[in-house]
Amino acid sequence: MGHKILIVEDEKELADILGAYLEVEGFEPIVKHDGQEGLKAFYEKQPSLILLDIMLPKVDGVRVCKEIREKSEVPVIMISAKSGEMDKVIALGIGADDYVTKPFSPLELVARVKAQLRRYEKSQNTAVTYDKEEVKIGELVLDKGSYSAMVKGELLSLTTKEFDMLFFFAKNPNQVFSKEQIYTGVWGYTGCCDDNSITVYVNRIREKLAKYELDYIKTVWGAGYKFSL
Ligand code: CA
């Protein structure tokens, strides 16, 4: 299942719209309408990210955020009706990771959600460590400088393009890519892609990893592929 995203927002219509957008993107939204219910859901559901309105009934968003921060580093994006600089200062001061002001586009918020999840995953010990040249994730070590791929300490034989594709996936774990995005990311230019060739490359890489009982490249039906451990 997708990441659980907790939405704490007392404007019910807005909360529902955000939930619907996140659901389309494969997330599992949990909607609560006051701070008390929001905190309860934080403890019970352990969401991957929290969208938190500042002005909330019962317990306001600032207090909710502070309490969450005492327990967890989970990404928090604050939502506010006010566009004052003061709010920004407060949001960052209480440990929120990002901040949006109403009205905002749901798509923009979804993009920020994804960005925060990526950042958070990268900051976790189990996640990828990545600089320009090297990716270490799971059982894989990919060195772009020498085009060498190691699996469980053994050299994995890959063609240049297979390496490029695996490198592209491995440095963006848990992110779903369409065939077109893969094409752009690996071949470096846009334009109509040959769907088939992407499938062929993915299958070759999968076969090679399968020898080590690894199944890192997952098919996301109707959307594309993603790398996950
Ligand atoms: Ca509100």
Side-chain angles (χ1 to χ4, degrees):
M1 277 314 289
H3 288 286
K4 286 180 199 160
I5 310 290
L6 174 60
I7 302 164
V8 192
E9 168 60 77
D10 59 323
E11 283 177 49
K12 292 186 174 143
E13 201 178 329
L14 175 60
D16 288 344
I17 290 169
L18 291 177
Y21 271 87
L22 289 167
E23 208 161 3
V24 165
E25 296 287 330
F27 296 110
E28 189 185 325
I30 300 161
V31 177
K32 298 293 169 191
H33 299 123
D34 68 59
Q36 201 174 315
E37 286 293 311
L39 276 172
K40 199 165 159 244
F42 160 71
Y43 287 115
E44 287 176 3
K45 308 280 185 183
Q46 301 189 324
S48 301
L49 183 143
I50 298 160
L51 298 175
L52 183 59
D53 188 21
I54 290 183
M55 300 296 283
L56 284 170
K58 293 188 183 167
V59 184
D60 68 58
V62 171
R63 280 178 56 199
V64 172
C65 186
K66 280 183 178 165
E67 182 163 341
I68 288 170
R69 268 298 161 268
E70 284 171 15
K71 317 280 183 211
S72 161
E73 290 299 309
V74 62
V76 176
I77 301 176
M78 302 294 292
I79 300 171
S80 173
K82 298 177 211 153
S83 61
E85 193 61 26
M86 191 57 198
D87 275 344
K88 209 170 285 186
V89 171
I90 290 172
L92 300 177
I94 58 173
D97 298 281
D98 200 359
Y99 171 94
V100 289
T101 304
K102 294 172 192 171
F104 53 83
S105 109
L107 283 175
E108 188 206 329
L109 190 62
V110 168
R112 290 190 188 209
V113 165
K114 288 181 179 173
Q116 285 302 326
L117 286 172
R118 278 202 297 279
R119 184 198 57 73
Y120 184 64
E121 273 159 8
K122 278 184 188 171
S123 74
Q124 298 299 292
N125 291 335
T126 50
V128 64
T129 56
Y130 166 62
D131 63 32
K132 276 186 188 126
E133 294 294 315
E134 192 177 70
V135 173
K136 287 183 189 171
I137 185 166
E139 302 283 355
L140 275 182
V141 181
L142 304 174
D143 182 354
K144 187 103 178 171
S146 60
Y147 266 83
S148 69
M150 303 289 286
V151 186
K152 298 183 175 175
E154 286 180 35
L155 199 61
L156 182 69
S157 169
L158 296 172
T159 67
T160 308
K161 272 291 163 267
E162 287 166 5
F163 179 93
D164 283 341
M165 187 179 281
L166 186 56
F167 192 84
F168 173 74
F169 274 119
K171 73 177 181 186
N172 299 293
N174 303 315
Q175 206 180 325
V176 180
F177 292 103
S178 67
K179 284 179 175 172
E180 194 154 3
Q181 286 169 326
I182 295 165
Y183 198 78
T184 309
V186 175
W187 276 264
Y189 46 90
T190 52
C192 188
C193 51
D194 177 357
D195 271 17
N196 247 333
S197 64
I198 303 282
T199 313
V200 169
Y201 277 105
V202 165
N203 287 339
R204 279 194 212 145
I205 295 168
R206 277 177 170 165
E207 278 168 26
K208 290 181 179 182
L209 291 177
K211 287 178 187 154
Y212 298 87
E213 291 172 359
L214 299 176
D215 170 29
Y216 287 161
I217 301 181
K218 314 283 199 298
T219 301
V220 182
W221 295 109
Y225 298 99
K226 71 171 179 180
F227 184 103
S228 69
L229 298 182

